Amino acid sequence: MFRVCHYVLIHVLYNLFGFFTSERFSKFISLRCLECKMKKQNRLIIIIKTLFKWINTGQKIAPIQKNKKIPRVKSDNMALIIEDMDLEKQYSPSRWSTRFNTAQEVLQHHVAFVTAASEAAVNNIPHKLEIEYGSTPGQKLDILGTDLPDDAPILVFVHGGYWQELSREVSRYPALPLYRSRIKTIVVGYDLCPAATLPEIVNQIEKAAKFVFEYAEKMGSRGIYFAGHSAGAHLVAKLLSNADFLDNTPGTQRLQAAFLVSGIYDLRELIHTSVNEAVQLPREWAAPLSPQFDCYTHLQVRKTRVYILAGQNDSPKFKKQSREFFELLHNSCLMQNMYLEIKDDLDHFDIVECFANDDNYLKNLMVHDVRKHL
């Protein structure tokens, strides 16, 4: 009901006052509506407050003259506002989970769960933490399973959080089940936005990967696997697209496969959401930084296997992005090495929370891949 009412109220305001047709006010209303959603405030109150704030800033309203035709706003302005609000919801994964009553509960549970599971991993696995691969505070990685044989396979995990949240310290949770299957885990940290730009983060992941490949070469590891969740899947996909890096970095011949979980591969719409307040990605950078527009034909020669996964309870946009990225890889690489699966009854968060369980699909996929190819 509130959604219908606040759309109607905006429409009334637009048709009453000609100055509301300005582009500035369209953007202003759109931003306040998004703020209202994020803060869970009554939308009607926000719109009314916005009206008075606009008037009090000094913008005068011309008196409505009798028999004067009142200008009407173009319908495309209203469509843009509604579209922006829909994009905000589509790219807010916590709003699509069916496990909890509110999005906030989803996020709180996720952080609490991965924190506890990461602590359990550190407490039960021989490890070496906070290994620096770069000069800034975020450029560190952890190795869990340091007592495993030198040639043990390695999973490299890159966390999500829209490049601005979460951390290496709460992303060690996949390690314990993998350790029991004789697989080492390396958890990669990186600097977060807005302290770092997205191009800088992409470069940091390449530096971390270079460290990992050199480590694997030194240890004689039988194979390296990468996994990324959400924004982490984006970062792994960007790494895989860099043919020059893969061709000129020692140890990359050990790369076996990648697991891209609930990833985002096209950033063009994301810049119109509140995510971009911290990321601060210019419009002209959106496509160049989108894996959807990269080339992956070099993976065909390497026979690198790519598993693309998303949750049934991910948003339609996230599932669409996974399908479209799979189609890109399917059309440019060996089709038998590309896999897509929408996981039943899982959302954007429990699709990776389950990595802490002994019987989980990531561990099972990797163990199967190791047995088949190594």
Side-chain angles (χ1 to χ4, degrees), residues 141-144 154-157 184-188 212 215:
L141 55 81
D142 303 329
I143 303 177
L144 295 98
I154 298 170
L155 175 75
V156 184
F157 185 65
K184 289 182 183 178
T185 302
I186 296 181
V187 183
V188 175
V212 170
Y215 171 80

Side-chain angles (χ1 to χ4, degrees), residues 253-289:
Q253 76 280 2
R254 300 178 189 274
L255 175 63
Q256 297 294 320
F259 305 91
L260 307 179
V261 184
S262 290
I264 181 162
Y265 310 105
D266 186 346
L267 309 186
R268 292 176 300 171
E269 291 181 332
L270 202 65
I271 63 175
H272 301 294
T273 72
S274 61
V275 171
N276 206 36
E277 291 175 8
V279 179
Q280 299 175 5
L281 185 67
R283 182 189 299 268
E284 59 270 21
W285 290 7
L289 286 169

Side-chain angles (χ1 to χ4, degrees), residues 215-270:
Y215 171 80
E217 191 80 348
K218 176 182 176 181
M219 301 299 289
S221 172
R222 288 181 290 145
I224 301 173
Y225 297 76
F226 279 80
H229 172 234
S230 195
H234 163 270
L235 294 172
V236 173
K238 289 300 292 182
L239 176 69
L240 294 177
S241 73
N242 193 332
D244 289 339
F245 172 82
L246 294 176
D247 288 341
N248 297 300
T249 302
T252 57
Q253 76 280 2
R254 300 178 189 274
L255 175 63
Q256 297 294 320
F259 305 91
L260 307 179
V261 184
S262 290
I264 181 162
Y265 310 105
D266 186 346
L267 309 186
R268 292 176 300 171
E269 291 181 332
L270 202 65

Side-chain angles (χ1 to χ4, degrees), residues 102-115:
T102 67
Q104 190 63 28
E105 289 179 279
V106 176
L107 296 174
Q108 289 173 347
H109 175 270
H110 180 68
V111 172
F113 182 92
V114 298
T115 299

